DNA sequence: TATGAATGAGTCTTCATTCAT
DNA sequence: TATGAATGAAGACTCATTCAT
């Protein structure tokens, strides 16, 4: 039971190194096998193909973070609907951001792979998918606010773009070589910036 | 005199198509030649190698936009130093943005190549270079403001991140499939958002 | 177990034919594979690259002959130092030559490749290396003799040139299409010629 | 009349550089043309093909040295027949060698091309042809001596081999990076060595 | 005289993948 | 579980040569 999984894990480890170094497309399965002291055949016993190998590294963290986003957004919408006040409280946003960030720092390598080394694989647009989720959320949020404040509806492009800014701000905290402590420090600035920017649109 | 340049241009055209479709790395010179009804040798008569071919499409627009940024930023700094008021005037920013945008829409394909299809080539980090230029500029700007307003200095990471937001906002206007008219419309929102976000940091 | 090595050996055989016919540089891996009824991929499974394929044919014989030279020369120097007489005994030289020749005739093809078909590969200067080894040896020998006979020291160029003559004499016995028996017959003449030539210098 | 030959000569000059650097086979006509600031078409106006270009550099010196050998050998044979004495006079040999050497040093580059850079061209065996000429001469010489001295005939291989030694000794004076003065100094040693070696066979 | 364009076959090498054992 | 062998297509690039103008 030990030996069995050992090869698989060894492969994952060397694969991670190779993907990190060269990115998905330029990574060579041969190299990965060679470094793991294993033949190509072995790799294909454990993994369907190159993409499956890459996926085995990133699938779970990716799924988790998707779920986290979903849950967080659902809660936020619910609270928005029940809340009387129209004032947005940035505390909750920051808290959620911190939680997400904590998780991502725990799987720093995996998210680095996803966010900067996945070109050529089915994951290459994963940032876009984050944006899409964010977008859907902010669409609702913005509409709610427009109604309450009696302002004009914000167009789709703007929603998309702001979502992208937000996601990017997040992604950078992972992909730029800074420590978790530093990242947490910056979160406040980011949230402040984005909220002020956002409200600036309504003026 | 016609026939002479015809092949070169035909190659550039089919190359553009191939690069657009598959990106630099995955593009195949064989395919490009086949589509252009030309042998590989012919391609290598006109272009030194794959990168040179790609460069022949994007080099000039890239150079022009670099120069534009440089000039614009120089002027802005000069005005900042001579200006008495501490109030930032967004009109000029918007004007410059509009000019840049106009130029980029005139070379829409080329900038799409540069910004989203250049992975694997020497141009793959061209967005980062835009950010760097922006960063240097905002560093100066922020320091000037800190002094005038007697506020704390903004740290480097924040400057970098804001620069990135700004460049990204711009890049999206090109890479997302919207018309020039729409893009111009959004510029105002973007500038407003960024300026408000920026001032939000000082609160 | 048979089939496994069969392809590798088949490749080596057709490679030998191609290298023999065209020399290293002009030999085509495609041809080699075609003649062996094998795809290029198969070749690269067994051999790292063109040079590795060539090396797989000649490396061992080359190493052996280097070792033989080294050993033989070491012994000769040792005997020289212990010997009282200043007269050189050609018997031992001849014996060593015969042994080397025997080995080289056993690997006639390989040495032909090395000595006349290796241009363009890392082995192209292997004759020069033989000469260098010989040179170092004769340098010592000549100095010892100069001292004993109270004659002038022989200059480096002459040592180099004589070493080259000697190596060439040897090489010819392999590269000229003569039988082993004939070659062995000529060895005596060669040794006589070289020794007389050598002593001629001192007159 | 000036301009006309100018291009041709420029081409020959850059060709010489390229051949010297890379050898015949690896030399690239493209490179040669590029360095000469001339198109490939121009090259093919002046020269039939690659070999013709190479030949234009070496043909004349080669022809001259062939003729010199022929003449010298004819004279020597004639003198041998009329001479009563059986003693060989090395003076004449040395004189001829010095003359040949002088000529070769005047065309040092050309002979370097011929002797060490011609692999792949029709000239690659030019050393062998020198040897053949020498061989024919020594065949006659040796037979004459055998008869006069009442010794056994020397076999063809030995004649061939000695001729090769002699030619090689000569060639080295050109191909090893030594000055003309040094080369002339060594000639005496070489002639002494070879003559003593030669007579050693008869003992 | 010389250009500039183009050919077309060829170079070595790398790749992800498959499959009998 | 894993091996070792093999596929076959594709990769970028270089070459000597030709020829209309």
């Amino acid at each position: 039971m030990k030996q069995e999984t050992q090869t698989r894990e060894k492969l994952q480890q060397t694969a991670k190194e190779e993907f990190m170094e060269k990115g998905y497309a330029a990574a060579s399965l041969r190299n990965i096998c060679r470094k793991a002291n294993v033949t190509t055949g072995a790799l294909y016993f454990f993994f369907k193909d190159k993409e499956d190998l890459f996926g085995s590294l990133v699938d779970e963290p990716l799924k988790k973070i998707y779920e986290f986003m979903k849950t967080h957004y659902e809660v936020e919408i619910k609270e928005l609907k029940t809340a009387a006040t129209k004032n947005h409280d940035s505390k909750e946003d920051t808290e959620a951001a911190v939680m997400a960030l904590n998780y991502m720092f725990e799987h720093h390598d995996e998210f680095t792979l996803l966010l900067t080394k996945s070109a050529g694989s089915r994951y290459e647009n994963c940032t876009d998918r984050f944006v899409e989720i964010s977008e859907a959320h902010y669409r609702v949020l913005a509409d709610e606010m427009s109604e309450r404040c009696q302002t004009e509806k914000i167009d789709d492009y703007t929603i998309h773009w702001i979502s992208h800014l937000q996601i990017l701000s997040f992604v950078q905290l992972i992909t730029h070589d800074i420590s978790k402590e530093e990242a947490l420090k910056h979160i406040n600035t980011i949230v402040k910036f984005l909220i002020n920017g956002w409200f600036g649109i309504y003026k």
Side-chain angles (χ1 to χ4, degrees), chain A:
Chain A
M1 230 209 265
K2 248 187 247 165
Q3 173 100 23
E4 294 162 20
T5 51
Q6 222 162 288
T7 304
R8 198 186 133 94
E9 277 167 19
K10 182 80 188 155
L11 276 168
Q12 288 184 310
Q13 189 198 312
T14 56
K16 192 196 274 190
E17 286 165 28
E18 177 90 358
F19 286 134
M20 279 288 200
E21 199 186 323
K22 311 192 187 161
Y24 178 83
S28 151
L29 296 187
R30 256 199 208 164
N31 263 357
I32 291 169
C33 291
R34 204 180 300 142
K35 281 192 217 161
N37 277 324
V38 150
T39 56
T40 34
L43 190 152
Y44 277 87
F45 175 78
F46 291 110
F47 307 99
K48 203 179 135 285
D49 56 15
K50 197 182 187 183
E51 220 162 34
D52 187 41
L53 172 59
F54 190 83
S56 83
L57 297 170
V58 299
D59 265 339
E60 214 199 281
L62 183 57
K63 205 179 128 198
K64 282 270 169 63
I65 209 76
Y66 276 150
E67 279 166 11
F68 179 85
M69 285 179 78
K70 211 184 122 202
T71 315
H72 167 63
Y73 283 155
E74 276 170 2
V75 170
E76 202 175 332
I77 291 293
K78 207 175 291 174
E79 287 181 355
L80 173 73
K81 299 234 158 125
T82 59
T85 170
K86 72 179 185 187
N87 289 326
H88 187 81
D89 186 5
S90 73
K91 255 181 232 164
E92 272 166 28
D93 281 353
T94 311
E95 268 168 31
V98 167
M99 281 181 65
L101 207 63
N102 268 317
Y103 181 74
M104 291 172 86
F105 262 94
E106 272 168 38
H107 302 268
H108 199 278
D109 285 353
E110 287 71 24
F111 282 103
T112 303
L113 286 178
L114 272 167
L115 298 168
T116 67
K117 306 289 181 181
S118 60
S121 78
R122 123 175 65 107
Y123 300 89
E124 71 181 348
N125 299 317
C126 87
T127 303
D128 293 352
R129 223 149 308 140
F130 287 136
V131 173
E132 280 166 26
I133 296 175
S134 218
E135 223 175 324
H137 175 64
Y138 285 121
R139 180 71 274 166
V140 175
L141 228 64
D143 289 350
E144 184 74 25
M145 272 196 38
S146 303
E147 204 177 319
R148 293 193 188 186
C149 307
Q150 303 286 12
T151 54
E152 222 178 331
K153 260 194 83 175
I154 298 181
D155 64 289
D156 281 346
Y157 181 84
T158 301
I159 293 292
H160 171 76
W161 157 67
I162 291 179
S163 305
H164 208 147
L165 287 197
Q166 192 219 14
I167 295 297
L168 180 86
S169 301
F170 228 87
V171 162
Q172 290 211 7
L173 293 172
I174 296 296
T175 57
H176 287 59
D177 209 28
I178 64 175
S179 71
K180 188 170 147 188
E181 286 67 37
E182 280 183 279
L184 289 171
K185 239 176 46 195
H186 290 304
I187 283 256
N188 283 305
T189 315
I190 291 172
V191 171
K192 250 203 302 194
F193 184 100
L194 292 174
I195 290 181
N196 272 285
W198 176 273
F199 282 102
I201 297 179
Y202 290 92
K203 291 183 192 167

PDB file of all heavy atoms in Angstrom, chain A residues 174-196:
ATOM      1  N   ILE A 174      -0.855  36.386  -4.748  1.00  0.00           N
ATOM      2  CA  ILE A 174      -0.290  35.035  -4.805  1.00  0.00           C
ATOM      3  C   ILE A 174       0.901  34.968  -5.748  1.00  0.00           C
ATOM      4  O   ILE A 174       1.938  34.394  -5.429  1.00  0.00           O
ATOM      5  CB  ILE A 174      -1.368  34.023  -5.293  1.00  0.00           C
ATOM      6  CG1 ILE A 174      -2.512  33.930  -4.292  1.00  0.00           C
ATOM      7  CG2 ILE A 174      -0.751  32.640  -5.519  1.00  0.00           C
ATOM      8  CD1 ILE A 174      -2.111  33.395  -2.941  1.00  0.00           C
ATOM      9  N   THR A 175       0.753  35.564  -6.918  1.00  0.00           N
ATOM     10  CA  THR A 175       1.786  35.364  -7.945  1.00  0.00           C
ATOM     11  C   THR A 175       3.001  36.251  -7.758  1.00  0.00           C
ATOM     12  O   THR A 175       4.055  35.955  -8.311  1.00  0.00           O
ATOM     13  CB  THR A 175       1.201  35.602  -9.343  1.00  0.00           C
ATOM     14  OG1 THR A 175       0.658  36.928  -9.387  1.00  0.00           O
ATOM     15  CG2 THR A 175       0.093  34.617  -9.635  1.00  0.00           C
ATOM     16  N   HIS A 176       2.841  37.344  -7.041  1.00  0.00           N
ATOM     17  CA  HIS A 176       4.029  38.144  -6.772  1.00  0.00           C
ATOM     18  C   HIS A 176       4.661  37.608  -5.508  1.00  0.00           C
ATOM     19  O   HIS A 176       3.979  37.289  -4.545  1.00  0.00           O
ATOM     20  CB  HIS A 176       3.670  39.621  -6.614  1.00  0.00           C
ATOM     21  CG  HIS A 176       3.326  40.251  -7.914  1.00  0.00           C
ATOM     22  ND1 HIS A 176       2.289  39.806  -8.703  1.00  0.00           N
ATOM     23  CD2 HIS A 176       3.894  41.294  -8.596  1.00  0.00           C
ATOM     24  CE1 HIS A 176       2.227  40.548  -9.787  1.00  0.00           C
ATOM     25  NE2 HIS A 176       3.181  41.460  -9.755  1.00  0.00           N
ATOM     26  N   ASP A 177       5.937  37.551  -5.559  1.00  0.00           N
ATOM     27  CA  ASP A 177       6.642  36.806  -4.527  1.00  0.00           C
ATOM     28  C   ASP A 177       6.639  37.524  -3.172  1.00  0.00           C
ATOM     29  O   ASP A 177       7.670  37.975  -2.688  1.00  0.00           O
ATOM     30  CB  ASP A 177       8.077  36.586  -5.009  1.00  0.00           C
ATOM     31  CG  ASP A 177       8.624  35.304  -4.421  1.00  0.00           C
ATOM     32  OD1 ASP A 177       7.823  34.403  -4.143  1.00  0.00           O
ATOM     33  OD2 ASP A 177       9.846  35.239  -4.211  1.00  0.00           O
ATOM     34  N   ILE A 178       5.481  37.596  -2.558  1.00  0.00           N
ATOM     35  CA  ILE A 178       5.445  38.235  -1.245  1.00  0.00           C
ATOM     36  C   ILE A 178       4.944  37.257  -0.191  1.00  0.00           C
ATOM     37  O   ILE A 178       4.297  36.257  -0.506  1.00  0.00           O
ATOM     38  CB  ILE A 178       4.555  39.498  -1.241  1.00  0.00           C
ATOM     39  CG1 ILE A 178       3.107  39.120  -1.536  1.00  0.00           C
ATOM     40  CG2 ILE A 178       5.054  40.519  -2.253  1.00  0.00           C
ATOM     41  CD1 ILE A 178       2.179  40.314  -1.420  1.00  0.00           C
ATOM     42  N   SER A 179       5.256  37.558   1.037  1.00  0.00           N
ATOM     43  CA  SER A 179       4.884  36.642   2.112  1.00  0.00           C
ATOM     44  C   SER A 179       3.397  36.792   2.453  1.00  0.00           C
ATOM     45  O   SER A 179       2.755  37.778   2.096  1.00  0.00           O
ATOM     46  CB  SER A 179       5.712  36.950   3.360  1.00  0.00           C
ATOM     47  OG  SER A 179       5.284  38.177   3.903  1.00  0.00           O
ATOM     48  N   LYS A 180       2.896  35.803   3.122  1.00  0.00           N
ATOM     49  CA  LYS A 180       1.503  35.820   3.524  1.00  0.00           C
ATOM     50  C   LYS A 180       1.213  37.042   4.401  1.00  0.00           C
ATOM     51  O   LYS A 180       0.168  37.685   4.258  1.00  0.00           O
ATOM     52  CB  LYS A 180       1.217  34.540   4.318  1.00  0.00           C
ATOM     53  CG  LYS A 180      -0.232  34.317   4.646  1.00  0.00           C
ATOM     54  CD  LYS A 180      -0.427  32.927   5.210  1.00  0.00           C
ATOM     55  CE  LYS A 180      -1.526  32.872   6.246  1.00  0.00           C
ATOM     56  NZ  LYS A 180      -1.574  31.555   6.908  1.00  0.00           N
ATOM     57  N   GLU A 181       2.141  37.375   5.269  1.00  0.00           N
ATOM     58  CA  GLU A 181       1.925  38.501   6.169  1.00  0.00           C
ATOM     59  C   GLU A 181       1.791  39.805   5.367  1.00  0.00           C
ATOM     60  O   GLU A 181       0.883  40.601   5.588  1.00  0.00           O
ATOM     61  CB  GLU A 181       3.090  38.619   7.159  1.00  0.00           C
ATOM     62  CG  GLU A 181       3.064  37.560   8.237  1.00  0.00           C
ATOM     63  CD  GLU A 181       3.324  36.158   7.659  1.00  0.00           C
ATOM     64  OE1 GLU A 181       4.154  36.043   6.713  1.00  0.00           O
ATOM     65  OE2 GLU A 181       2.697  35.178   8.102  1.00  0.00           O
ATOM     66  N   GLU A 182       2.690  39.976   4.445  1.00  0.00           N
ATOM     67  CA  GLU A 182       2.604  41.161   3.601  1.00  0.00           C
ATOM     68  C   GLU A 182       1.278  41.198   2.840  1.00  0.00           C
ATOM     69  O   GLU A 182       0.615  42.225   2.753  1.00  0.00           O
ATOM     70  CB  GLU A 182       3.760  41.176   2.604  1.00  0.00           C
ATOM     71  CG  GLU A 182       5.074  41.664   3.198  1.00  0.00           C
ATOM     72  CD  GLU A 182       6.166  41.716   2.146  1.00  0.00           C
ATOM     73  OE1 GLU A 182       6.752  40.643   1.844  1.00  0.00           O
ATOM     74  OE2 GLU A 182       6.413  42.802   1.602  1.00  0.00           O
ATOM     75  N   ALA A 183       0.942  40.054   2.281  1.00  0.00           N
ATOM     76  CA  ALA A 183      -0.288  39.974   1.499  1.00  0.00           C
ATOM     77  C   ALA A 183      -1.479  40.426   2.353  1.00  0.00           C
ATOM     78  O   ALA A 183      -2.321  41.212   1.912  1.00  0.00           O
ATOM     79  CB  ALA A 183      -0.498  38.544   1.003  1.00  0.00           C
ATOM     80  N   LEU A 184      -1.541  39.929   3.578  1.00  0.00           N
ATOM     81  CA  LEU A 184      -2.666  40.268   4.453  1.00  0.00           C
ATOM     82  C   LEU A 184      -2.702  41.766   4.743  1.00  0.00           C
ATOM     83  O   LEU A 184      -3.764  42.375   4.818  1.00  0.00           O
ATOM     84  CB  LEU A 184      -2.558  39.465   5.752  1.00  0.00           C
ATOM     85  CG  LEU A 184      -2.853  37.964   5.575  1.00  0.00           C
ATOM     86  CD1 LEU A 184      -2.522  37.175   6.850  1.00  0.00           C
ATOM     87  CD2 LEU A 184      -4.324  37.751   5.187  1.00  0.00           C
ATOM     88  N   LYS A 185      -1.506  42.312   4.874  1.00  0.00           N
ATOM     89  CA  LYS A 185      -1.424  43.749   5.103  1.00  0.00           C
ATOM     90  C   LYS A 185      -2.043  44.527   3.934  1.00  0.00           C
ATOM     91  O   LYS A 185      -2.754  45.515   4.124  1.00  0.00           O
ATOM     92  CB  LYS A 185       0.053  44.150   5.241  1.00  0.00           C
ATOM     93  CG  LYS A 185       0.419  44.814   6.551  1.00  0.00           C
ATOM     94  CD  LYS A 185       1.912  45.076   6.634  1.00  0.00           C
ATOM     95  CE  LYS A 185       2.506  45.683   5.386  1.00  0.00           C
ATOM     96  NZ  LYS A 185       3.984  45.590   5.366  1.00  0.00           N
ATOM     97  N   HIS A 186      -1.763  44.075   2.737  1.00  0.00           N
ATOM     98  CA  HIS A 186      -2.224  44.803   1.558  1.00  0.00           C
ATOM     99  C   HIS A 186      -3.720  44.679   1.324  1.00  0.00           C
ATOM    100  O   HIS A 186      -4.328  45.524   0.678  1.00  0.00           O
ATOM    101  CB  HIS A 186      -1.469  44.320   0.313  1.00  0.00           C
ATOM    102  CG  HIS A 186      -0.037  44.736   0.321  1.00  0.00           C
ATOM    103  ND1 HIS A 186       0.344  46.049   0.435  1.00  0.00           N
ATOM    104  CD2 HIS A 186       1.117  44.017   0.238  1.00  0.00           C
ATOM    105  CE1 HIS A 186       1.679  46.123   0.420  1.00  0.00           C
ATOM    106  NE2 HIS A 186       2.163  44.907   0.309  1.00  0.00           N
ATOM    107  N   ILE A 187      -4.294  43.616   1.817  1.00  0.00           N
ATOM    108  CA  ILE A 187      -5.712  43.380   1.579  1.00  0.00           C
ATOM    109  C   ILE A 187      -6.556  44.606   1.934  1.00  0.00           C
ATOM    110  O   ILE A 187      -7.470  44.998   1.198  1.00  0.00           O
ATOM    111  CB  ILE A 187      -6.194  42.169   2.412  1.00  0.00           C
ATOM    112  CG1 ILE A 187      -5.731  40.877   1.749  1.00  0.00           C
ATOM    113  CG2 ILE A 187      -7.700  42.188   2.582  1.00  0.00           C
ATOM    114  CD1 ILE A 187      -6.798  40.130   1.024  1.00  0.00           C
ATOM    115  N   ASN A 188      -6.260  45.223   3.051  1.00  0.00           N
ATOM    116  CA  ASN A 188      -7.045  46.382   3.471  1.00  0.00           C
ATOM    117  C   ASN A 188      -7.008  47.499   2.434  1.00  0.00           C
ATOM    118  O   ASN A 188      -8.038  48.060   2.069  1.00  0.00           O
ATOM    119  CB  ASN A 188      -6.508  46.915   4.801  1.00  0.00           C
ATOM    120  CG  ASN A 188      -6.948  46.050   5.955  1.00  0.00           C
ATOM    121  OD1 ASN A 188      -8.155  45.816   6.124  1.00  0.00           O
ATOM    122  ND2 ASN A 188      -6.003  45.542   6.719  1.00  0.00           N
ATOM    123  N   THR A 189      -5.804  47.795   1.987  1.00  0.00           N
ATOM    124  CA  THR A 189      -5.656  48.827   0.964  1.00  0.00           C
ATOM    125  C   THR A 189      -6.486  48.485  -0.262  1.00  0.00           C
ATOM    126  O   THR A 189      -7.196  49.321  -0.833  1.00  0.00           O
ATOM    127  CB  THR A 189      -4.182  48.942   0.538  1.00  0.00           C
ATOM    128  OG1 THR A 189      -3.353  48.930   1.705  1.00  0.00           O
ATOM    129  CG2 THR A 189      -3.959  50.224  -0.239  1.00  0.00           C
ATOM    130  N   ILE A 190      -6.370  47.238  -0.656  1.00  0.00           N
ATOM    131  CA  ILE A 190      -7.074  46.809  -1.864  1.00  0.00           C
ATOM    132  C   ILE A 190      -8.577  47.001  -1.712  1.00  0.00           C
ATOM    133  O   ILE A 190      -9.234  47.590  -2.574  1.00  0.00           O
ATOM    134  CB  ILE A 190      -6.739  45.322  -2.179  1.00  0.00           C
ATOM    135  CG1 ILE A 190      -5.277  45.213  -2.614  1.00  0.00           C
ATOM    136  CG2 ILE A 190      -7.666  44.772  -3.240  1.00  0.00           C
ATOM    137  CD1 ILE A 190      -4.777  43.789  -2.755  1.00  0.00           C
ATOM    138  N   VAL A 191      -9.091  46.520  -0.612  1.00  0.00           N
ATOM    139  CA  VAL A 191     -10.537  46.632  -0.418  1.00  0.00           C
ATOM    140  C   VAL A 191     -10.957  48.097  -0.388  1.00  0.00           C
ATOM    141  O   VAL A 191     -11.941  48.489  -1.017  1.00  0.00           O
ATOM    142  CB  VAL A 191     -10.954  45.901   0.875  1.00  0.00           C
ATOM    143  CG1 VAL A 191     -12.424  46.191   1.197  1.00  0.00           C
ATOM    144  CG2 VAL A 191     -10.745  44.392   0.721  1.00  0.00           C
ATOM    145  N   LYS A 192     -10.184  48.907   0.315  1.00  0.00           N
ATOM    146  CA  LYS A 192     -10.506  50.332   0.373  1.00  0.00           C
ATOM    147  C   LYS A 192     -10.521  50.933  -1.035  1.00  0.00           C
ATOM    148  O   LYS A 192     -11.456  51.645  -1.427  1.00  0.00           O
ATOM    149  CB  LYS A 192      -9.459  51.062   1.240  1.00  0.00           C
ATOM    150  CG  LYS A 192      -9.998  51.552   2.589  1.00  0.00           C
ATOM    151  CD  LYS A 192      -9.217  52.696   3.178  1.00  0.00           C
ATOM    152  CE  LYS A 192      -7.744  52.375   3.401  1.00  0.00           C
ATOM    153  NZ  LYS A 192      -7.088  53.366   4.278  1.00  0.00           N
ATOM    154  N   PHE A 193      -9.465  50.634  -1.759  1.00  0.00           N
ATOM    155  CA  PHE A 193      -9.342  51.169  -3.118  1.00  0.00           C
ATOM    156  C   PHE A 193     -10.549  50.780  -3.970  1.00  0.00           C
ATOM    157  O   PHE A 193     -11.187  51.621  -4.602  1.00  0.00           O
ATOM    158  CB  PHE A 193      -8.054  50.643  -3.761  1.00  0.00           C
ATOM    159  CG  PHE A 193      -7.780  51.198  -5.127  1.00  0.00           C
ATOM    160  CD1 PHE A 193      -6.874  52.232  -5.306  1.00  0.00           C
ATOM    161  CD2 PHE A 193      -8.416  50.682  -6.260  1.00  0.00           C
ATOM    162  CE1 PHE A 193      -6.605  52.740  -6.572  1.00  0.00           C
ATOM    163  CE2 PHE A 193      -8.165  51.187  -7.526  1.00  0.00           C
ATOM    164  CZ  PHE A 193      -7.253  52.217  -7.673  1.00  0.00           C
ATOM    165  N   LEU A 194     -10.862  49.521  -3.948  1.00  0.00           N
ATOM    166  CA  LEU A 194     -11.921  49.037  -4.831  1.00  0.00           C
ATOM    167  C   LEU A 194     -13.284  49.617  -4.444  1.00  0.00           C
ATOM    168  O   LEU A 194     -14.073  50.011  -5.290  1.00  0.00           O
ATOM    169  CB  LEU A 194     -11.949  47.504  -4.819  1.00  0.00           C
ATOM    170  CG  LEU A 194     -10.719  46.837  -5.457  1.00  0.00           C
ATOM    171  CD1 LEU A 194     -10.771  45.329  -5.272  1.00  0.00           C
ATOM    172  CD2 LEU A 194     -10.602  47.195  -6.935  1.00  0.00           C
ATOM    173  N   ILE A 195     -13.536  49.681  -3.155  1.00  0.00           N
ATOM    174  CA  ILE A 195     -14.835  50.210  -2.723  1.00  0.00           C
ATOM    175  C   ILE A 195     -14.959  51.683  -3.062  1.00  0.00           C
ATOM    176  O   ILE A 195     -15.966  52.149  -3.595  1.00  0.00           O
ATOM    177  CB  ILE A 195     -15.027  49.978  -1.210  1.00  0.00           C
ATOM    178  CG1 ILE A 195     -15.228  48.472  -0.979  1.00  0.00           C
ATOM    179  CG2 ILE A 195     -16.238  50.763  -0.689  1.00  0.00           C
ATOM    180  CD1 ILE A 195     -15.462  48.107   0.471  1.00  0.00           C
ATOM    181  N   ASN A 196     -13.916  52.435  -2.823  1.00  0.00           N
ATOM    182  CA  ASN A 196     -13.945  53.847  -3.182  1.00  0.00           C
ATOM    183  C   ASN A 196     -14.072  54.039  -4.685  1.00  0.00           C
ATOM    184  O   ASN A 196     -14.777  54.923  -5.155  1.00  0.00           O
ATOM    185  CB  ASN A 196     -12.689  54.554  -2.676  1.00  0.00           C
ATOM    186  CG  ASN A 196     -12.883  55.063  -1.267  1.00  0.00           C
ATOM    187  OD1 ASN A 196     -13.564  56.050  -1.056  1.00  0.00           O
ATOM    188  ND2 ASN A 196     -12.317  54.335  -0.301  1.00  0.00           N
TER     189      ASN A 196
END
